[in-house]
Amino acid sequence: MQSVFTDIGKINFRDPSNYYVIPSVPGLASNSVTSAAWLSSEGEALFALPSASGGIFVLKLPPHDAPGTVSVVELKQSSVMQRFLTGWMPTAIRGDCGPSDLPISLSVHCLDHDAFLFALCQDHKLRMWSYKDQMCLMVADLLEFMPVSRDLRLAAGTGHRLRLAFSQSLGLYLGVYMHAPKRGQFCVFQLVSTESNRYSLDHISSLFSSQETLVDFALTSAEIWALWHNEENQTVVKYINFEQNVAGQWNQVFVQPLPEEEVTVRHDQDPRETYLEYLFMPGQFTNAAIQKALQIFSQGTERHMDLTWDELKKEVTLAVESEFQGSVTEYECSPEEFWQLQVEFWSKFYACCLQYQEALSRPLALHLNPYTSMVCLLKKGSLSFLVPCSLVDHLYLLSNEHLLTEDDAAIFDDLEMSRDVVCLVQCLRLIGESISLEMAFIMEMACSRLQPPEKAAEQILEDLIANDTENVMEDIHSKLQEIRNPIHAIGVLIREMDYETDVDMERAHHLNMRMNLTQLYGSGTAVDVVCWGVCKIATIRFLICRDLLILQQLLLRLGDPMVLGGGQLFQSQQDLLHRTSPLLLSYYLIRWASQCLASDVPVDTLESNLQHLSVLELADTTALTPHKLVSGPQTIVELFFQEVARKHIISRLFLQPNTSLAETSLNWPHLITAIVADFLPLLWPSNPGFLFPECLMGSCQYTQLQEYIRLLQPWCHVNMGSCCFMMGRCYLVMGEGHKALDCFCQAASEVGREEFLDRLIQPEEGEVVSTPRLQYYNKVLRLLDMVGLPELVIQLATLAIMESADDWRSQATLRTCIFKHHLDLGHNSEAYVALTQNPDPSRQLDCLRQLVVVLCERSQLQDLVEFPYVNLHNEVVGIIESHARAVDLMTHNYYELLYAFHIYRHNYRKAGTVMFEYGMRLGREVRTLRGLQKQGNCFLAAINCLRLIRPEYAWIVQPASGAVYERPGASPKRSHDGECTAVPSTCQIEILELEDLERECVLARIRLTLVQHDLSAAAVAGNSTPEETVALLVRAGLFDTAVTLCQTFKLPLTPIFEGLTFKCIKLQLGGEAAQAEAWDWLAANQLSALVTTKESSATDEAWRLLLSYLERYPSQNSLYHRCVINKLLAHGIPLPNWLINSYKRVDAAELLRLYLNYDLLEEAVDLVLEYVDAVLGKGHQYFGIEFPLSATAPMVWLPYTAIDQLLQALRESTTNHYNVMLYQKLHDKMEDYQQKVSVATRDRLYRRN
């Protein structure tokens, strides 16, 4: 909610409609400080000021949003009128004080269309003016209501004060303070109107005050609040109910004392730390006081403006230390001297701060809000709020004279009990006043060091008795005699101070039901007031409990049945002692928290914390915003009130049905009391609510939370598990994981008994509900996992498994968790053990899959292969196989892993199958040189495996082609039109034996040779069949390799001869380039050695190679010769003589037929003529004829059909003269042959006969 001054700046004050210069004639009264101001019903601003002539100036400014001019009216009586109203008197009172009717205090009371101005004047008269009528309606002489001396009547009443209070039911009250030397008197009047607008004052009450100097007072329709300075120049605030208080007894207000004049620094303390702690303790010094002291101490060298609390702390340290360093002239000094010098400089700075704090704490005025009854003390540098004091604190703080006069009936209904309590409090006061700083320090240290307060109280009592020089113990003893029932009185006092409740306060409602409540008490000032009120209560009650403990120790020591009220049991005393001790520690803890500063948290820490809280599902607990501490330090109690407690308290006070506060609305005394009374149970350590530590955790105040729990744990047995959990969270953030785990484990025992832990384990939607403790362990495991502490996750999960003996689902989850983190840490064996112990088969399979993948990625294959996999063998093989078939062959080595897996278990056939499949896929998918190299190695490994098996078992099943592997999660294969293709339901199984593998190995090796010779062939050769490979080899000119491949796979050599013949033809017809190229492929083939003096060409070598092949690889029916000749003739190449001679020897008849096919009639005639001669015995060896024609030799024959075809062809071409000659020649030769055959036939027949 914005301030009314939000948009006001210097420019607004220069606007003519917003200011007016008061005229100098007749001018303002000199030395006058009184004034009054009000807004009329039309929105005009009016200001009343005393004029120098004794009247009242009233300046009227037009409304801010309407044009107009400023008007000035002077309210003044004429001299005749004045004499008529007041009688004769001197025109000026003795002394140079101006006119006698000069107003010294002005007040205004607004009506609908008028305003009454009340002026208390120097002549001790009260005048009442009507602004509208501009006339004086009433003059009253106030000296009539007080004892008057002549001196007083003649003295100027410069110290008088006037205040008004209006009540709808009671009307207008006027409060007047009449100042007289060494005394003062308050008079309260009620304004009474008679007929015809005549007014008079009805005297209500007169109250006398001491000789203290009045600074200001405020009036309500029932009370007077007054602010004085006493003789020691200390601030005194008192109030009195003028209607009910017949005795005129003023009530004391306990104001905030100034900080200690001196700081005690023990020799074991560092002066700098001690002074800084005092200076910057919340509530001690204001920022402004320290800044001004720093300015003076630094001798005005720098301006220290708008520094944050932390920055100011650094500047103070630097300033004092630099002054100290500058004053040390000697290079060496003893530690004692050094310590003494430090104390000297720090005390000098402290005194400077104290001086400014005192100046800034000087009260200037009281402010009382008539609508909310809020009383504030306006000081030079700050604003103080007065809050109601509880009964116990009131009695303890009252001075002795006030305590003696306290109305017993106002304390308790039971008068005897009231007297007992008053006497008891007097005893406590006597003890408290006797305790020295050293004794008080004993109790402080006992609480801080977690020692029993009872022991400390006993020690303090012994010191009091030992140092009792003023007989205080006798006074206490006599006071105790007056208490009728001391144990009952102590019990009443304890009950008044105890805020323990049996049930947790309801959690906050949303405040959107009443929008005006969402901001109530939400400002920084309101938070300060509430939390400082709590701190004051805790501080006072800590002292009460301390003194009460000492008194109880005294009662135990006395053991007098008369004192103890007629033989009270010793047990009752012990019970009271053990009730007081936690009370003292509770208030010590709340006081500590009220003075403990909150840390300024970086945004990244808040975000990290938010992630942790979201894992715990506690993120909605507090509004997590970074707090910038500017004007002063924020304590953790203020943080808690601002973020969490305020919403709870306001919703509880206002939003619950039948609430009593609904009637009292925003009455300050009631509301602040109710808020503090509701706030203390939220802070009370032994209540089941756990909001305060939860808020500290949510706001990342880990150091403070640790200290809070440390102070709490030894004696408070409520929320012990929650405290352990919180401490674990703190250790986790501080990086002490093992300590955190211990705390989390300790907290587990309290799950199901504490509200915070119950909220922690609420199951998520859809989550399987297990036992509370298992749910708790799950939450902590998730937290540890997020923080990144796998060792601790494993430890806690192992512990949790013991709790989940009957819950196999939880067991499976925890075993999976253990497996995961062991695997992450590289504990492979432990991960395997956790996997095997998992009771859920599906989770076990998931873990197994993860183990395989992770160990493969880390290349920790030996572990993977050597694990026993009891009852999981097939699953492992299946996982590795599916990965092998699903991933890229060249980047992952799952096939090799599977091979090693089988080899390790001596399953050689499976190992061979794996490597054969690997090789097959390499050929299909990786058509590169490296892929073919790996393929060859794979086939060799597979052969090696089968050779290790007995021959009858040396076989494998041919692996299916890659398309039909059914991989989990693979998308369905579709045809070109988008339809899913049907997977073959049955597939033929093919068995491969060792010989088959060896052949595949040869093929792979040959492919590799081919690709090494010609890299461009890699894309085709990888998966080519033997026939295709032969063609590729022939094309590349690797004829020897092609021959080997054909022989291995029993393929005909025809393609080789055809290819070589074609290369010979190309060489014969080609130029130099073809010759040069040919040497590359010729070199790749084995040529028979030839000794010659002639330099041979590439063409010659190619023909030689062809010749050598024809000689080396004979064929049935001279198939290869015919193939070569056919190729040559088809290309119109004349047949080389060596080829003709070679073929004549093998199959002259076929050669003749080829000649005829290609219409080579001349060559055919020559061949027939030679053939006939050979048959007849001339050169028969050149045609492979062993025995020529004779009667004694075996029969011979001629290809008559072919010869007849030749003759017919020659006969038909008679046009060609040369053909006629050839025909005649051949015809004659055949006639001659026929004759010789006839003779030989006759001879043979003859011989046979």
Side-chain angles (χ1 to χ4, degrees), residues 240-261:
I240 190 168
N241 187 311
F242 55 78
E243 288 188 327
Q244 296 176 0
N245 196 325
V246 183
Q249 180 69 49
W250 286 81
N251 296 300
Q252 195 174 349
V253 174
F254 309 108
V255 293
Q256 169 74 12
L258 285 168
E260 298 288 334
E261 286 191 10

Side-chain angles (χ1 to χ4, degrees), residues 510-550:
H510 286 293
L511 293 176
N512 55 4
M513 295 168 67
R514 299 260 304 267
M515 281 305 292
N516 59 331
L517 295 178
T518 56
Q519 299 294 333
L520 184 64
Y521 283 70
S523 69
T525 305
V527 172
D528 286 347
V529 170
V530 172
C531 297
W532 193 242
V534 166
C535 182
K536 290 290 289 180
I537 290 172
T539 306
I540 295 162
R541 293 191 178 177
F542 172 75
L543 299 176
I544 295 172
C545 294
R546 178 197 69 188
D547 299 346
L548 195 57
L549 266 180
I550 296 165

Side-chain angles (χ1 to χ4, degrees), residues 101-120:
D101 56 354
L102 180 71
I104 51 172
S105 185
L106 287 170
S107 289
V108 65
H109 175 60
C110 296
L111 302 173
D112 286 341
H113 298 289
D114 197 2
F116 288 162
L117 270 168
F118 293 89
L120 184 54

Side-chain angles (χ1 to χ4, degrees), residues 627-797:
H627 305 289
K628 185 68 178 169
L629 313 177
V630 182
S631 60
Q634 187 178 32
T635 64
I636 54 175
V637 169
E638 288 170 355
L639 178 70
F640 172 54
F641 181 78
Q642 194 169 22
E643 298 294 339
V644 179
R646 186 184 69 84
K647 296 188 189 95
H648 281 75
I649 293 164
I650 299 298
S651 65
R652 189 173 123 74
L653 291 179
F654 286 92
L655 301 183
Q656 296 204 356
N658 307 321
T659 175
S660 61
L661 276 162
E663 291 79 39
T664 57
S665 183
L666 298 178
N667 180 277
W668 166 260
H670 292 105
L671 189 55
I672 191 72
T673 305
I675 286 172
V676 170
D678 270 6
F679 190 25
L680 276 165
L682 290 175
L683 291 168
W684 201 252
S686 52
N687 280 344
F690 202 61
L691 288 174
F692 182 45
E694 200 178 332
C695 170
L696 293 182
M697 180 181 77
S699 301
C700 305
Q701 305 297 319
Y702 301 114
T703 312
Q704 295 85 336
L705 182 55
Q706 275 183 295
E707 180 62 13
Y708 177 83
I709 294 169
R710 184 190 76 83
L711 292 170
L712 186 71
Q713 270 184 330
W715 58 271
C716 181
H717 304 299
V718 180
N719 288 322
M720 290 173 70
S722 303
C723 283
C724 282
F725 179 83
M726 289 293 185
M727 195 59 117
R729 277 276 289 118
C730 292
Y731 281 135
L732 211 55
V733 173
M734 305 293 182
E736 298 183 86
H738 290 283
K739 287 184 181 178
L741 185 64
D742 292 342
C743 290
F744 290 142
C745 294
Q746 286 173 32
S749 60
E750 299 299 319
V751 171
R753 301 181 197 168
E754 296 177 11
E755 185 267 343
F756 171 75
L757 294 176
D758 287 350
R759 223 163 7 94
L760 194 68
I761 61 170
Q762 285 176 350
E764 297 176 15
E765 287 184 24
E767 187 181 339
V768 179
V769 179
S770 52
T771 64
R773 197 172 290 191
L774 276 176
Q775 285 172 267
Y776 167 78
Y777 281 135
N778 281 336
K779 279 284 173 71
V780 177
L781 284 169
R782 284 163 64 186
L783 180 63
L784 293 173
D785 191 12
M786 169 169 273
V787 177
L789 296 169
E791 296 100 333
L792 303 186
V793 172
I794 292 164
Q795 285 183 42
L796 188 62

Side-chain angles (χ1 to χ4, degrees), residues 425-655:
V425 171
Q426 285 178 307
C427 292
L428 297 180
R429 287 283 299 277
L430 286 167
I431 290 170
E433 288 163 3
S434 307
I435 288 175
S436 64
L437 282 173
E438 289 77 12
M439 294 177 191
F441 187 69
I442 291 170
M443 184 60 81
E444 294 281 345
M445 282 295 101
C447 295
S448 175
R449 293 172 180 171
L450 312 179
Q451 295 161 352
E454 298 94 328
K455 298 283 184 191
E458 199 172 350
Q459 186 182 339
I460 293 169
L461 178 63
E462 287 172 3
D463 290 351
L464 281 174
I465 293 168
N467 300 317
D468 186 15
T469 53
E470 298 176 4
N471 297 324
V472 175
M473 289 299 144
E474 285 185 21
D475 295 344
I476 294 170
H477 198 277
S478 63
K479 278 287 175 193
L480 284 171
Q481 301 285 357
E482 296 176 23
I483 304 175
R484 294 168 182 76
N485 193 337
I487 285 181
H488 190 41
I490 291 169
V492 167
L493 207 58
I494 289 171
R495 275 198 303 279
E496 283 291 319
M497 293 190 291
D498 197 352
Y499 282 91
E500 188 169 331
T501 56
D502 296 330
V503 292
D504 182 23
M505 286 179 72
E506 284 187 37
R507 301 187 72 77
H509 302 274
H510 286 293
L511 293 176
N512 55 4
M513 295 168 67
R514 299 260 304 267
M515 281 305 292
N516 59 331
L517 295 178
T518 56
Q519 299 294 333
L520 184 64
Y521 283 70
S523 69
T525 305
V527 172
D528 286 347
V529 170
V530 172
C531 297
W532 193 242
V534 166
C535 182
K536 290 290 289 180
I537 290 172
T539 306
I540 295 162
R541 293 191 178 177
F542 172 75
L543 299 176
I544 295 172
C545 294
R546 178 197 69 188
D547 299 346
L548 195 57
L549 266 180
I550 296 165
L551 185 68
Q552 285 171 303
Q553 291 288 5
L554 179 63
L555 285 171
L556 283 173
R557 184 178 284 241
L558 290 171
D560 187 346
M562 293 304 293
V563 173
L564 296 177
Q568 286 287 340
L569 294 173
F570 177 76
Q571 186 61 43
S572 299
Q573 299 171 352
Q574 288 290 344
D575 290 346
L576 282 176
L577 202 63
H578 294 315
R579 279 176 64 194
T580 311
S581 180
L583 209 59
L584 173 108
L585 291 167
S586 297
Y587 281 117
Y588 176 82
L589 191 59
I590 293 171
R591 188 191 73 180
W592 168 84
S594 300
Q595 295 172 344
C596 176
L597 299 183
S599 306
D600 206 358
V601 185
V603 175
D604 55 344
T605 308
L606 280 173
E607 287 172 355
S608 165
N609 182 53
L610 194 59
Q611 290 174 350
H612 296 177
L613 293 178
S614 65
V615 168
L616 300 173
E617 289 158 35
L618 294 172
D620 61 339
T621 310
T622 52
L624 299 173
T625 51
H627 305 289
K628 185 68 178 169
L629 313 177
V630 182
S631 60
Q634 187 178 32
T635 64
I636 54 175
V637 169
E638 288 170 355
L639 178 70
F640 172 54
F641 181 78
Q642 194 169 22
E643 298 294 339
V644 179
R646 186 184 69 84
K647 296 188 189 95
H648 281 75
I649 293 164
I650 299 298
S651 65
R652 189 173 123 74
L653 291 179
F654 286 92
L655 301 183

Side-chain angles (χ1 to χ4, degrees), residues 1-7:
M1 296 174 74
Q2 290 191 323
S3 161
V4 291
F5 298 111
T6 299
D7 300 321

